[in-house]
Amino acid sequence: MAIDHRSHTPLYMQLAAFFRNQIESGQLRPGSALPSETRMTQEYGIGREAIRMAVSLLRSEGLVRTQRGHGSYVRDSVKRSTIELAAGSSAIARMPTRTERHNLGLDEGVPVLEIRDAEGETEVLPGDEVELTRPTKG
Amino acid sequence: MAIDHRSHTPLYMQLAAFFRNQIESGQLRPGSALPSETRMTQEYGIGREAIRMAVSLLRSEGLVRTQRGHGSYVRDSVKRSTIELAAGSSAIARMPTRTERHNLGLDEGVPVLEIRDAEGETEVLPGDEVELTRPTKG
DNA sequence: GGTCATTTGTACGTATGTATT
DNA sequence: GAATACATACGTACAAATGAC
């Protein structure tokens, strides 16, 4: 069984670890639905709050996406487009602001890349869709 | 006042927006403590769960750090060390795994930069301490 | 369009555990 | 030990989104 009520590890962490293993091992594939919250409360004998904390943890790790009124699903990794970091440019990784997340349509647990070019102009790119490269010279 | 119980906006979002404004405007400086949870329940007439959801939201945005038994504090932005992206290397931004977060000592809401060099070797760097650069030639 | 069941979201109360001072 | 503060976890209730019909 996955859940041990007498363990020192919090229930929500045990449950998150259970699904994290399933996701990373491929038993739960991208796009697959997690059981509904009420289903999990019955299945594992855990209260709804602990269930929600577990799913929230997986969301914050970028493993799961939740759609209200619908369910929680394993995030399918988008194919990344490679972007060349121009000479004189720099890049940092950070979490998006609320408006950035909304504008870019980002799921929870997805950072952004903030690019600053030589002129000081900045651009914010979705962290799950971009790979930053510096090509080898000719 | 900050909180409107009749608003359509959830209480926890109103409260998060209130502190987010204070942080981004500089009224709450890095290192400053947020009021304790019990203090906020009294101050704003909100239940503890809504309070915790608000603080959790700020944590996930990388604005706040919470220390158990101590309190929640405005995260002070570390000075970033600039790292040059080598030719033939690439970089992606993503959230850390639990072990990475532990090993790197990262707060919640802090992504990582995963660097892959020309040989395919990968390195994981703390996203809040690193700025990736590509210098102008000559 | 409207209704209904399902599912997640918000929010309250309560209790207990654990970390820090 | 005591006081304070955050963490975990249960129960309850209603709101809001979604999809099926």
Side-chain angles (χ1 to χ4, degrees), chain A residues 10-32:
Chain A
L11 295 176
Y12 80 96
M13 289 193 191
Q14 293 183 47
L15 189 61
F18 173 69
F19 284 110
R20 193 184 299 114
N21 285 342
Q22 296 221 338
I23 292 171
E24 290 174 346
S25 72
Q27 294 169 61
L28 258 177
R29 307 233 203 109
S32 306

Side-chain angles (χ1 to χ4, degrees), chain A residues 10-13 46-47 49-50 53 68-69:
Chain A
L11 295 176
Y12 80 96
M13 289 193 191
I46 302 180
E49 179 172 343
M53 287 176 72
R68 179 175 184 173

Side-chain angles (χ1 to χ4, degrees), chain B:
Chain B
M1 248 300 279
I3 306 302
D4 178 9
H5 282 257
R6 296 179 309 270
S7 165
H8 291 298
T9 307
L11 294 177
Y12 80 96
M13 288 193 190
Q14 294 182 47
L15 189 61
F18 174 69
F19 283 111
R20 193 185 299 114
N21 285 341
Q22 295 220 338
I23 292 171
E24 290 176 346
S25 71
Q27 294 169 61
L28 259 177
R29 306 232 204 109
S32 306
L34 270 61
S36 76
E37 293 174 352
T38 44
R39 183 89 201 319
M40 287 198 242
T41 58
Q42 300 159 356
E43 184 88 9
Y44 304 107
I46 302 181
R48 193 175 166 223
E49 178 172 344
I51 303 283
R52 285 178 60 76
M53 288 176 70
V55 177
S56 169
L57 187 54
L58 296 172
R59 267 199 307 272
S60 75
E61 294 171 1
L63 294 175
V64 158
R65 143 187 86 82
T66 297
Q67 189 177 349
R68 180 175 182 171
H70 202 157
S72 289
Y73 301 87
V74 180
R75 264 171 51 83
D76 31 18
S77 40
V78 197
K79 196 179 304 185
R80 291 172 188 270
S81 58
T82 62
I83 291 189
E84 183 180 336
L85 185 63
S89 294
S90 63
I92 67 169
R94 61 166 174 79
M95 293 314 280
T97 63
R98 278 199 85 63
T99 44
E100 286 171 341
R101 238 190 77 191
H102 181 261
N103 292 339
L104 296 172
L106 299 178
D107 290 337
E108 261 186 68
V110 176
V112 293
L113 276 170
E114 183 179 311
I115 314 287
R116 178 181 298 267
D117 66 22
E119 282 74 38
E121 300 291 311
T122 64
E123 184 185 10
V124 177
L125 304 174
D128 61 341
E129 297 177 3
V130 169
E131 179 180 15
L132 220 56
T133 65
R134 176 178 174 184
T136 55
K137 191 169 19 182

Side-chain angles (χ1 to χ4, degrees), chain A:
Chain A
M1 246 299 280
I3 305 302
D4 177 9
H5 282 258
R6 296 178 309 271
S7 165
H8 292 297
T9 306
L11 295 176
Y12 80 96
M13 289 193 191
Q14 293 183 47
L15 189 61
F18 173 69
F19 284 110
R20 193 184 299 114
N21 285 342
Q22 296 221 338
I23 292 171
E24 290 174 346
S25 72
Q27 294 169 61
L28 258 177
R29 307 233 203 109
S32 306
L34 270 60
S36 77
E37 294 174 354
T38 43
R39 184 90 201 317
M40 288 199 241
T41 59
Q42 300 159 355
E43 184 89 8
Y44 304 107
I46 302 180
R48 192 179 168 215
E49 179 172 343
I51 303 282
R52 286 179 60 76
M53 287 176 72
V55 177
S56 169
L57 187 54
L58 297 171
R59 266 198 306 271
S60 75
E61 295 170 1
L63 293 175
V64 158
R65 145 187 84 83
T66 297
Q67 188 178 352
R68 179 175 184 173
H70 202 161
S72 289
Y73 301 86
V74 180
R75 264 171 52 84
D76 31 17
S77 41
V78 198
K79 195 178 306 187
R80 292 172 188 270
S81 57
T82 62
I83 291 189
E84 183 181 334
L85 185 62
S89 294
S90 63
I92 67 170
R94 61 166 174 79
M95 295 313 282
T97 64
R98 279 197 87 62
T99 44
E100 285 171 342
R101 238 190 77 193
H102 181 262
N103 292 340
L104 295 172
L106 299 178
D107 290 337
E108 260 186 70
V110 176
V112 293
L113 276 170
E114 183 179 312
I115 314 288
R116 178 181 299 266
D117 65 23
E119 283 75 37
E121 299 290 312
T122 64
E123 185 184 9
V124 177
L125 305 174
D128 61 340
E129 298 178 4
V130 169
E131 178 180 16
L132 219 57
T133 65
R134 177 178 173 184
T136 56
K137 190 170 19 183

